[in-house]
Amino acid sequence: MPNGVAKANLPTKTCPACERPFAWRKKWARDWESVIYCSDACRRKR
Ligand SMILES: [Zn+2]
């Protein structure tokens, strides 16, 4: 795992609920590995 994350090169994932790609957010800094959905709304969908 890279330690520093460059602003222009944020990691992304695809949300299985809305099927849209979403980028890393600072609030997920601690548990990006376990982030699955792009938002709480999507997490509640399924
Ligand atoms: Zn979503």
Side-chain angles (χ1 to χ4, degrees):
M1 281 291 289
N3 222 349
V5 178
K7 274 185 186 175
N9 192 25
L10 297 174
T12 59
K13 289 186 178 184
T14 302
C15 173
C18 64
E19 296 186 344
R20 290 184 182 191
F22 60 97
W24 182 93
R25 292 180 198 173
K26 196 170 185 181
K27 70 172 183 178
W28 294 328
R30 280 173 170 266
D31 52 14
W32 172 247
E33 299 267 336
S34 59
V35 171
I36 299 171
Y37 300 104
C38 69
S39 65
D40 286 343
C42 283
R43 191 170 55 192
R44 287 178 196 140
K45 267 188 182 177
R46 296 194 179 178

mmCIF file of all heavy atoms in Angstrom:
data_model
loop_
_atom_site.group_PDB
_atom_site.id
_atom_site.type_symbol
_atom_site.label_atom_id
_atom_site.label_comp_id
_atom_site.label_asym_id
_atom_site.label_seq_id
_atom_site.Cartn_x
_atom_site.Cartn_y
_atom_site.Cartn_z
ATOM 1 N N MET A 1 0.832 -1.211 0.000
ATOM 2 C CA MET A 1 0.000 0.000 0.000
ATOM 3 C C MET A 1 0.865 1.258 0.000
ATOM 4 O O MET A 1 1.739 1.412 0.848
ATOM 5 C CB MET A 1 -0.880 0.030 1.257
ATOM 6 C CG MET A 1 -2.095 -0.855 1.161
ATOM 7 S SD MET A 1 -3.286 -0.235 -0.021
ATOM 8 C CE MET A 1 -3.916 1.200 0.835
ATOM 9 N N PRO A 2 0.603 2.161 -0.931
ATOM 10 C CA PRO A 2 1.313 3.447 -0.913
ATOM 11 C C PRO A 2 0.886 4.251 0.298
ATOM 12 O O PRO A 2 -0.283 4.244 0.668
ATOM 13 C CB PRO A 2 0.889 4.115 -2.214
ATOM 14 C CG PRO A 2 -0.384 3.452 -2.596
ATOM 15 C CD PRO A 2 -0.340 2.059 -2.017
ATOM 16 N N ASN A 3 1.814 4.945 0.867
ATOM 17 C CA ASN A 3 1.507 5.652 2.105
ATOM 18 C C ASN A 3 0.882 7.011 1.843
ATOM 19 O O ASN A 3 -0.135 7.359 2.417
ATOM 20 C CB ASN A 3 2.786 5.799 2.922
ATOM 21 C CG ASN A 3 2.518 5.523 4.389
ATOM 22 O OD1 ASN A 3 1.369 5.432 4.795
ATOM 23 N ND2 ASN A 3 3.562 5.388 5.182
ATOM 24 N N GLY A 4 1.487 7.790 0.935
ATOM 25 C CA GLY A 4 0.914 9.089 0.614
ATOM 26 C C GLY A 4 0.037 8.993 -0.623
ATOM 27 O O GLY A 4 0.372 8.321 -1.583
ATOM 28 N N VAL A 5 -1.105 9.663 -0.594
ATOM 29 C CA VAL A 5 -2.001 9.622 -1.748
ATOM 30 C C VAL A 5 -1.969 10.973 -2.442
ATOM 31 O O VAL A 5 -2.295 11.994 -1.846
ATOM 32 C CB VAL A 5 -3.442 9.300 -1.306
ATOM 33 C CG1 VAL A 5 -4.378 9.315 -2.500
ATOM 34 C CG2 VAL A 5 -3.475 7.944 -0.612
ATOM 35 N N ALA A 6 -1.566 10.973 -3.707
ATOM 36 C CA ALA A 6 -1.490 12.226 -4.454
ATOM 37 C C ALA A 6 -2.881 12.744 -4.794
ATOM 38 O O ALA A 6 -3.789 11.963 -5.077
ATOM 39 C CB ALA A 6 -0.694 12.020 -5.734
ATOM 40 N N LYS A 7 -3.042 14.033 -4.770
ATOM 41 C CA LYS A 7 -4.358 14.631 -5.021
ATOM 42 C C LYS A 7 -4.947 14.215 -6.361
ATOM 43 O O LYS A 7 -6.129 13.945 -6.463
ATOM 44 C CB LYS A 7 -4.233 16.153 -4.998
ATOM 45 C CG LYS A 7 -4.339 16.735 -3.608
ATOM 46 C CD LYS A 7 -4.338 18.244 -3.688
ATOM 47 C CE LYS A 7 -4.294 18.855 -2.288
ATOM 48 N NZ LYS A 7 -4.174 20.311 -2.363
ATOM 49 N N ALA A 8 -4.099 14.201 -7.391
ATOM 50 C CA ALA A 8 -4.596 13.945 -8.736
ATOM 51 C C ALA A 8 -4.688 12.467 -9.052
ATOM 52 O O ALA A 8 -5.143 12.090 -10.117
ATOM 53 C CB ALA A 8 -3.703 14.633 -9.748
ATOM 54 N N ASN A 9 -4.270 11.653 -8.123
ATOM 55 C CA ASN A 9 -4.227 10.219 -8.404
ATOM 56 C C ASN A 9 -4.910 9.430 -7.295
ATOM 57 O O ASN A 9 -4.372 8.489 -6.745
ATOM 58 C CB ASN A 9 -2.762 9.775 -8.562
ATOM 59 C CG ASN A 9 -2.681 8.378 -9.146
ATOM 60 O OD1 ASN A 9 -3.595 7.933 -9.824
ATOM 61 N ND2 ASN A 9 -1.612 7.685 -8.870
ATOM 62 N N LEU A 10 -6.131 9.834 -6.995
ATOM 63 C CA LEU A 10 -6.863 9.168 -5.929
ATOM 64 C C LEU A 10 -7.340 7.799 -6.388
ATOM 65 O O LEU A 10 -7.727 7.629 -7.541
ATOM 66 C CB LEU A 10 -8.075 10.003 -5.524
ATOM 67 C CG LEU A 10 -7.744 11.374 -4.934
ATOM 68 C CD1 LEU A 10 -9.030 12.160 -4.725
ATOM 69 C CD2 LEU A 10 -7.010 11.235 -3.626
ATOM 70 N N PRO A 11 -7.340 6.831 -5.504
ATOM 71 C CA PRO A 11 -7.871 5.519 -5.869
ATOM 72 C C PRO A 11 -9.383 5.593 -6.049
ATOM 73 O O PRO A 11 -10.058 6.424 -5.455
ATOM 74 C CB PRO A 11 -7.503 4.642 -4.665
ATOM 75 C CG PRO A 11 -7.284 5.579 -3.530
ATOM 76 C CD PRO A 11 -6.837 6.885 -4.140
ATOM 77 N N THR A 12 -9.895 4.717 -6.874
ATOM 78 C CA THR A 12 -11.343 4.715 -7.112
ATOM 79 C C THR A 12 -11.889 3.303 -6.976
ATOM 80 O O THR A 12 -11.179 2.319 -7.105
ATOM 81 C CB THR A 12 -11.685 5.232 -8.513
ATOM 82 O OG1 THR A 12 -11.034 4.412 -9.477
ATOM 83 C CG2 THR A 12 -11.229 6.660 -8.707
ATOM 84 N N LYS A 13 -13.192 3.237 -6.724
ATOM 85 C CA LYS A 13 -13.903 1.962 -6.681
ATOM 86 C C LYS A 13 -15.224 2.152 -7.389
ATOM 87 O O LYS A 13 -15.670 3.270 -7.610
ATOM 88 C CB LYS A 13 -14.167 1.551 -5.231
ATOM 89 C CG LYS A 13 -12.921 1.131 -4.477
ATOM 90 C CD LYS A 13 -13.298 0.594 -3.113
ATOM 91 C CE LYS A 13 -12.045 0.127 -2.385
ATOM 92 N NZ LYS A 13 -12.381 -0.491 -1.082
ATOM 93 N N THR A 14 -15.877 1.051 -7.714
ATOM 94 C CA THR A 14 -17.197 1.139 -8.320
ATOM 95 C C THR A 14 -18.244 0.700 -7.301
ATOM 96 O O THR A 14 -18.138 -0.386 -6.726
ATOM 97 C CB THR A 14 -17.275 0.256 -9.568
ATOM 98 O OG1 THR A 14 -16.277 0.671 -10.487
ATOM 99 C CG2 THR A 14 -18.639 0.378 -10.228
ATOM 100 N N CYS A 15 -19.213 1.545 -7.113
ATOM 101 C CA CYS A 15 -20.268 1.254 -6.148
ATOM 102 C C CYS A 15 -21.214 0.197 -6.718
ATOM 103 O O CYS A 15 -21.753 0.374 -7.815
ATOM 104 C CB CYS A 15 -21.017 2.546 -5.845
ATOM 105 S SG CYS A 15 -22.463 2.305 -4.827
ATOM 106 N N PRO A 16 -21.441 -0.904 -6.015
ATOM 107 C CA PRO A 16 -22.305 -1.963 -6.530
ATOM 108 C C PRO A 16 -23.786 -1.588 -6.496
ATOM 109 O O PRO A 16 -24.601 -2.239 -7.151
ATOM 110 C CB PRO A 16 -22.016 -3.145 -5.585
ATOM 111 C CG PRO A 16 -21.508 -2.531 -4.341
ATOM 112 C CD PRO A 16 -20.833 -1.246 -4.741
ATOM 113 N N ALA A 17 -24.141 -0.555 -5.782
ATOM 114 C CA ALA A 17 -25.550 -0.164 -5.695
ATOM 115 C C ALA A 17 -25.944 0.721 -6.873
ATOM 116 O O ALA A 17 -26.943 0.478 -7.543
ATOM 117 C CB ALA A 17 -25.809 0.555 -4.385
ATOM 118 N N CYS A 18 -25.159 1.762 -7.145
ATOM 119 C CA CYS A 18 -25.494 2.676 -8.238
ATOM 120 C C CYS A 18 -24.604 2.447 -9.454
ATOM 121 O O CYS A 18 -24.797 3.067 -10.486
ATOM 122 C CB CYS A 18 -25.402 4.123 -7.754
ATOM 123 S SG CYS A 18 -23.746 4.632 -7.269
ATOM 124 N N GLU A 19 -23.620 1.534 -9.310
ATOM 125 C CA GLU A 19 -22.723 1.172 -10.408
ATOM 126 C C GLU A 19 -21.972 2.360 -10.982
ATOM 127 O O GLU A 19 -21.688 2.417 -12.168
ATOM 128 C CB GLU A 19 -23.497 0.437 -11.505
ATOM 129 C CG GLU A 19 -24.044 -0.872 -10.980
ATOM 130 C CD GLU A 19 -24.693 -1.704 -12.067
ATOM 131 O OE1 GLU A 19 -24.983 -1.134 -13.135
ATOM 132 O OE2 GLU A 19 -24.885 -2.894 -11.850
ATOM 133 N N ARG A 20 -21.662 3.297 -10.143
ATOM 134 C CA ARG A 20 -20.865 4.440 -10.554
ATOM 135 C C ARG A 20 -19.518 4.395 -9.837
ATOM 136 O O ARG A 20 -19.454 3.986 -8.677
ATOM 137 C CB ARG A 20 -21.566 5.751 -10.171
ATOM 138 C CG ARG A 20 -22.788 5.997 -10.995
ATOM 139 C CD ARG A 20 -23.357 7.345 -10.619
ATOM 140 N NE ARG A 20 -24.589 7.618 -11.363
ATOM 141 C CZ ARG A 20 -25.181 8.809 -11.381
ATOM 142 N NH1 ARG A 20 -24.674 9.813 -10.701
ATOM 143 N NH2 ARG A 20 -26.272 8.989 -12.069
ATOM 144 N N PRO A 21 -18.480 4.839 -10.536
ATOM 145 C CA PRO A 21 -17.181 4.915 -9.875
ATOM 146 C C PRO A 21 -17.159 6.075 -8.883
ATOM 147 O O PRO A 21 -17.758 7.114 -9.136
ATOM 148 C CB PRO A 21 -16.205 5.149 -11.023
ATOM 149 C CG PRO A 21 -17.015 5.765 -12.099
ATOM 150 C CD PRO A 21 -18.421 5.249 -11.943
ATOM 151 N N PHE A 22 -16.505 5.849 -7.781
ATOM 152 C CA PHE A 22 -16.338 6.935 -6.822
ATOM 153 C C PHE A 22 -14.900 6.972 -6.346
ATOM 154 O O PHE A 22 -14.214 5.953 -6.347
ATOM 155 C CB PHE A 22 -17.308 6.806 -5.653
ATOM 156 C CG PHE A 22 -17.158 5.511 -4.865
ATOM 157 C CD1 PHE A 22 -16.406 5.476 -3.702
ATOM 158 C CD2 PHE A 22 -17.777 4.363 -5.298
ATOM 159 C CE1 PHE A 22 -16.278 4.299 -2.970
ATOM 160 C CE2 PHE A 22 -17.649 3.173 -4.577
ATOM 161 C CZ PHE A 22 -16.908 3.138 -3.419
ATOM 162 N N ALA A 23 -14.465 8.148 -5.970
ATOM 163 C CA ALA A 23 -13.062 8.336 -5.605
ATOM 164 C C ALA A 23 -12.881 8.342 -4.100
ATOM 165 O O ALA A 23 -13.816 8.575 -3.338
ATOM 166 C CB ALA A 23 -12.556 9.651 -6.200
ATOM 167 N N TRP A 24 -11.663 8.092 -3.738
ATOM 168 C CA TRP A 24 -11.264 8.100 -2.332
ATOM 169 C C TRP A 24 -11.651 9.414 -1.669
ATOM 170 O O TRP A 24 -11.546 10.476 -2.266
ATOM 171 C CB TRP A 24 -9.751 7.905 -2.298
ATOM 172 C CG TRP A 24 -9.146 7.842 -0.938
ATOM 173 C CD1 TRP A 24 -8.913 6.714 -0.220
ATOM 174 C CD2 TRP A 24 -8.655 8.939 -0.150
ATOM 175 N NE1 TRP A 24 -8.310 7.051 0.971
ATOM 176 C CE2 TRP A 24 -8.143 8.402 1.035
ATOM 177 C CE3 TRP A 24 -8.614 10.321 -0.347
ATOM 178 C CZ2 TRP A 24 -7.591 9.196 2.029
ATOM 179 C CZ3 TRP A 24 -8.067 11.114 0.650
ATOM 180 C CH2 TRP A 24 -7.563 10.554 1.814
ATOM 181 N N ARG A 25 -12.116 9.330 -0.457
ATOM 182 C CA ARG A 25 -12.432 10.541 0.298
ATOM 183 C C ARG A 25 -11.672 10.537 1.619
ATOM 184 O O ARG A 25 -11.390 9.482 2.165
ATOM 185 C CB ARG A 25 -13.937 10.614 0.584
ATOM 186 C CG ARG A 25 -14.729 10.843 -0.672
ATOM 187 C CD ARG A 25 -16.203 10.913 -0.352
ATOM 188 N NE ARG A 25 -16.988 10.710 -1.556
ATOM 189 C CZ ARG A 25 -18.308 10.583 -1.555
ATOM 190 N NH1 ARG A 25 -18.969 10.595 -0.421
ATOM 191 N NH2 ARG A 25 -18.952 10.397 -2.675
ATOM 192 N N LYS A 26 -11.428 11.720 2.086
ATOM 193 C CA LYS A 26 -10.619 11.834 3.294
ATOM 194 C C LYS A 26 -11.257 11.098 4.473
ATOM 195 O O LYS A 26 -10.584 10.520 5.306
ATOM 196 C CB LYS A 26 -10.431 13.310 3.646
ATOM 197 C CG LYS A 26 -9.307 13.498 4.641
ATOM 198 C CD LYS A 26 -8.985 14.976 4.794
ATOM 199 C CE LYS A 26 -7.773 15.136 5.702
ATOM 200 N NZ LYS A 26 -7.445 16.545 5.905
ATOM 201 N N LYS A 27 -12.578 11.104 4.529
ATOM 202 C CA LYS A 27 -13.237 10.446 5.661
ATOM 203 C C LYS A 27 -13.047 8.933 5.618
ATOM 204 O O LYS A 27 -13.303 8.252 6.610
ATOM 205 C CB LYS A 27 -14.724 10.806 5.677
ATOM 206 C CG LYS A 27 -15.526 10.188 4.546
ATOM 207 C CD LYS A 27 -17.017 10.455 4.762
ATOM 208 C CE LYS A 27 -17.848 9.785 3.692
ATOM 209 N NZ LYS A 27 -19.290 9.998 3.936
ATOM 210 N N TRP A 28 -12.603 8.417 4.465
ATOM 211 C CA TRP A 28 -12.364 6.979 4.360
ATOM 212 C C TRP A 28 -10.881 6.635 4.518
ATOM 213 O O TRP A 28 -10.477 5.510 4.265
ATOM 214 C CB TRP A 28 -12.838 6.460 3.013
ATOM 215 C CG TRP A 28 -14.312 6.557 2.823
ATOM 216 C CD1 TRP A 28 -15.270 6.444 3.791
ATOM 217 C CD2 TRP A 28 -15.022 6.773 1.602
ATOM 218 N NE1 TRP A 28 -16.511 6.575 3.233
ATOM 219 C CE2 TRP A 28 -16.393 6.787 1.889
ATOM 220 C CE3 TRP A 28 -14.598 6.954 0.282
ATOM 221 C CZ2 TRP A 28 -17.358 6.966 0.906
ATOM 222 C CZ3 TRP A 28 -15.564 7.132 -0.695
ATOM 223 C CH2 TRP A 28 -16.924 7.136 -0.382
ATOM 224 N N ALA A 29 -10.106 7.615 4.887
ATOM 225 C CA ALA A 29 -8.652 7.423 4.958
ATOM 226 C C ALA A 29 -8.288 6.201 5.804
ATOM 227 O O ALA A 29 -7.370 5.462 5.484
ATOM 228 C CB ALA A 29 -7.998 8.668 5.529
ATOM 229 N N ARG A 30 -9.025 5.986 6.857
ATOM 230 C CA ARG A 30 -8.672 4.899 7.768
ATOM 231 C C ARG A 30 -9.171 3.537 7.289
ATOM 232 O O ARG A 30 -8.588 2.515 7.639
ATOM 233 C CB ARG A 30 -9.244 5.174 9.161
ATOM 234 C CG ARG A 30 -8.395 6.148 9.937
ATOM 235 C CD ARG A 30 -9.076 6.529 11.241
ATOM 236 N NE ARG A 30 -8.142 7.274 12.084
ATOM 237 C CZ ARG A 30 -7.388 6.696 13.015
ATOM 238 N NH1 ARG A 30 -7.465 5.412 13.229
ATOM 239 N NH2 ARG A 30 -6.567 7.412 13.741
ATOM 240 N N ASP A 31 -10.279 3.525 6.558
ATOM 241 C CA ASP A 31 -10.806 2.202 6.195
ATOM 242 C C ASP A 31 -11.242 2.130 4.740
ATOM 243 O O ASP A 31 -12.285 1.577 4.420
ATOM 244 C CB ASP A 31 -11.949 1.803 7.135
ATOM 245 C CG ASP A 31 -13.024 2.861 7.245
ATOM 246 O OD1 ASP A 31 -13.039 3.781 6.417
ATOM 247 O OD2 ASP A 31 -13.844 2.763 8.155
ATOM 248 N N TRP A 32 -10.429 2.692 3.870
ATOM 249 C CA TRP A 32 -10.720 2.616 2.433
ATOM 250 C C TRP A 32 -10.856 1.169 1.991
ATOM 251 O O TRP A 32 -11.664 0.831 1.129
ATOM 252 C CB TRP A 32 -9.607 3.335 1.657
ATOM 253 C CG TRP A 32 -9.687 3.161 0.187
ATOM 254 C CD1 TRP A 32 -8.812 2.490 -0.601
ATOM 255 C CD2 TRP A 32 -10.694 3.675 -0.694
ATOM 256 N NE1 TRP A 32 -9.221 2.563 -1.908
ATOM 257 C CE2 TRP A 32 -10.361 3.273 -1.996
ATOM 258 C CE3 TRP A 32 -11.854 4.438 -0.487
ATOM 259 C CZ2 TRP A 32 -11.155 3.602 -3.104
ATOM 260 C CZ3 TRP A 32 -12.637 4.768 -1.598
ATOM 261 C CH2 TRP A 32 -12.277 4.352 -2.877
ATOM 262 N N GLU A 33 -10.073 0.284 2.564
ATOM 263 C CA GLU A 33 -10.097 -1.136 2.180
ATOM 264 C C GLU A 33 -11.492 -1.722 2.361
ATOM 265 O O GLU A 33 -11.901 -2.604 1.628
ATOM 266 C CB GLU A 33 -9.113 -1.921 3.051
ATOM 267 C CG GLU A 33 -7.678 -1.463 2.913
ATOM 268 C CD GLU A 33 -6.918 -2.255 1.876
ATOM 269 O OE1 GLU A 33 -7.328 -3.388 1.610
ATOM 270 O OE2 GLU A 33 -5.955 -1.735 1.339
ATOM 271 N N SER A 34 -12.207 -1.242 3.358
ATOM 272 C CA SER A 34 -13.501 -1.837 3.675
ATOM 273 C C SER A 34 -14.670 -1.032 3.121
ATOM 274 O O SER A 34 -15.821 -1.395 3.315
ATOM 275 C CB SER A 34 -13.650 -1.995 5.185
ATOM 276 O OG SER A 34 -13.539 -0.745 5.817
ATOM 277 N N VAL A 35 -14.371 0.076 2.428
ATOM 278 C CA VAL A 35 -15.437 0.863 1.823
ATOM 279 C C VAL A 35 -15.966 0.134 0.591
ATOM 280 O O VAL A 35 -15.196 -0.308 -0.259
ATOM 281 C CB VAL A 35 -14.930 2.262 1.430
ATOM 282 C CG1 VAL A 35 -15.976 3.004 0.608
ATOM 283 C CG2 VAL A 35 -14.577 3.067 2.661
ATOM 284 N N ILE A 36 -17.271 -0.029 0.511
ATOM 285 C CA ILE A 36 -17.866 -0.733 -0.629
ATOM 286 C C ILE A 36 -18.780 0.205 -1.408
ATOM 287 O O ILE A 36 -18.715 0.277 -2.625
ATOM 288 C CB ILE A 36 -18.673 -1.952 -0.145
ATOM 289 C CG1 ILE A 36 -17.739 -2.920 0.588
ATOM 290 C CG2 ILE A 36 -19.349 -2.652 -1.334
ATOM 291 C CD1 ILE A 36 -18.478 -4.040 1.280
ATOM 292 N N TYR A 37 -19.605 0.950 -0.705
ATOM 293 C CA TYR A 37 -20.583 1.810 -1.364
ATOM 294 C C TYR A 37 -20.134 3.265 -1.355
ATOM 295 O O TYR A 37 -19.373 3.671 -0.467
ATOM 296 C CB TYR A 37 -21.943 1.677 -0.676
ATOM 297 C CG TYR A 37 -22.463 0.265 -0.710
ATOM 298 C CD1 TYR A 37 -22.429 -0.545 0.410
ATOM 299 C CD2 TYR A 37 -22.974 -0.256 -1.893
ATOM 300 C CE1 TYR A 37 -22.907 -1.844 0.372
ATOM 301 C CE2 TYR A 37 -23.444 -1.554 -1.942
ATOM 302 C CZ TYR A 37 -23.408 -2.347 -0.810
ATOM 303 O OH TYR A 37 -23.869 -3.627 -0.866
ATOM 304 N N CYS A 38 -20.646 4.042 -2.311
ATOM 305 C CA CYS A 38 -20.201 5.418 -2.459
ATOM 306 C C CYS A 38 -20.810 6.325 -1.391
ATOM 307 O O CYS A 38 -20.300 7.402 -1.149
ATOM 308 C CB CYS A 38 -20.551 5.935 -3.852
ATOM 309 S SG CYS A 38 -22.310 6.147 -4.138
ATOM 310 N N SER A 39 -21.912 5.890 -0.802
ATOM 311 C CA SER A 39 -22.579 6.752 0.162
ATOM 312 C C SER A 39 -23.439 5.915 1.104
ATOM 313 O O SER A 39 -23.688 4.739 0.854
ATOM 314 C CB SER A 39 -23.458 7.772 -0.561
ATOM 315 O OG SER A 39 -24.501 7.090 -1.236
ATOM 316 N N ASP A 40 -23.916 6.556 2.156
ATOM 317 C CA ASP A 40 -24.787 5.847 3.090
ATOM 318 C C ASP A 40 -26.086 5.441 2.402
ATOM 319 O O ASP A 40 -26.654 4.398 2.676
ATOM 320 C CB ASP A 40 -25.119 6.764 4.273
ATOM 321 C CG ASP A 40 -23.920 6.898 5.196
ATOM 322 O OD1 ASP A 40 -23.003 6.066 5.110
ATOM 323 O OD2 ASP A 40 -23.921 7.826 6.018
ATOM 324 N N ALA A 41 -26.559 6.283 1.493
ATOM 325 C CA ALA A 41 -27.797 5.992 0.783
ATOM 326 C C ALA A 41 -27.674 4.691 0.004
ATOM 327 O O ALA A 41 -28.568 3.843 0.009
ATOM 328 C CB ALA A 41 -28.142 7.139 -0.157
ATOM 329 N N CYS A 42 -26.548 4.518 -0.687
ATOM 330 C CA CYS A 42 -26.319 3.301 -1.465
ATOM 331 C C CYS A 42 -26.125 2.104 -0.542
ATOM 332 O O CYS A 42 -26.549 1.009 -0.850
ATOM 333 C CB CYS A 42 -25.102 3.476 -2.357
ATOM 334 S SG CYS A 42 -25.456 4.472 -3.807
ATOM 335 N N ARG A 43 -25.508 2.321 0.567
ATOM 336 C CA ARG A 43 -25.279 1.214 1.493
ATOM 337 C C ARG A 43 -26.609 0.678 2.022
ATOM 338 O O ARG A 43 -26.770 -0.498 2.254
ATOM 339 C CB ARG A 43 -24.420 1.703 2.657
ATOM 340 C CG ARG A 43 -23.927 0.549 3.523
ATOM 341 C CD ARG A 43 -22.892 1.008 4.505
ATOM 342 N NE ARG A 43 -23.384 2.120 5.312
ATOM 343 C CZ ARG A 43 -22.615 2.872 6.087
ATOM 344 N NH1 ARG A 43 -21.331 2.649 6.124
ATOM 345 N NH2 ARG A 43 -23.115 3.847 6.783
ATOM 346 N N ARG A 44 -27.578 1.546 2.160
ATOM 347 C CA ARG A 44 -28.885 1.121 2.679
ATOM 348 C C ARG A 44 -29.731 0.458 1.600
ATOM 349 O O ARG A 44 -30.697 -0.226 1.904
ATOM 350 C CB ARG A 44 -29.643 2.330 3.223
ATOM 351 C CG ARG A 44 -29.048 2.800 4.535
ATOM 352 C CD ARG A 44 -29.788 4.041 5.028
ATOM 353 N NE ARG A 44 -28.995 4.708 6.063
ATOM 354 C CZ ARG A 44 -28.879 6.028 6.150
ATOM 355 N NH1 ARG A 44 -29.484 6.809 5.292
ATOM 356 N NH2 ARG A 44 -28.155 6.554 7.101
ATOM 357 N N LYS A 45 -29.380 0.710 0.342
ATOM 358 C CA LYS A 45 -30.177 0.145 -0.740
ATOM 359 C C LYS A 45 -30.178 -1.374 -0.714
ATOM 360 O O LYS A 45 -31.160 -2.007 -1.081
ATOM 361 C CB LYS A 45 -29.616 0.601 -2.094
ATOM 362 C CG LYS A 45 -30.273 1.854 -2.622
ATOM 363 C CD LYS A 45 -29.787 2.113 -4.041
ATOM 364 C CE LYS A 45 -30.389 3.408 -4.597
ATOM 365 N NZ LYS A 45 -29.877 3.697 -5.945
ATOM 366 N N ARG A 46 -29.036 -1.966 -0.352
ATOM 367 C CA ARG A 46 -28.958 -3.425 -0.389
ATOM 368 C C ARG A 46 -28.595 -3.987 0.965
ATOM 369 O O ARG A 46 -27.752 -3.418 1.609
ATOM 370 C CB ARG A 46 -27.903 -3.828 -1.395
ATOM 371 C CG ARG A 46 -28.333 -3.393 -2.774
ATOM 372 C CD ARG A 46 -27.481 -4.080 -3.809
ATOM 373 N NE ARG A 46 -27.931 -3.674 -5.149
ATOM 374 C CZ ARG A 46 -27.326 -4.105 -6.251
ATOM 375 N NH1 ARG A 46 -26.327 -4.892 -6.208
ATOM 376 N NH2 ARG A 46 -27.798 -3.726 -7.423
HETATM 377 ZN ZN ZN B 1 -23.484 4.363 -4.970
#
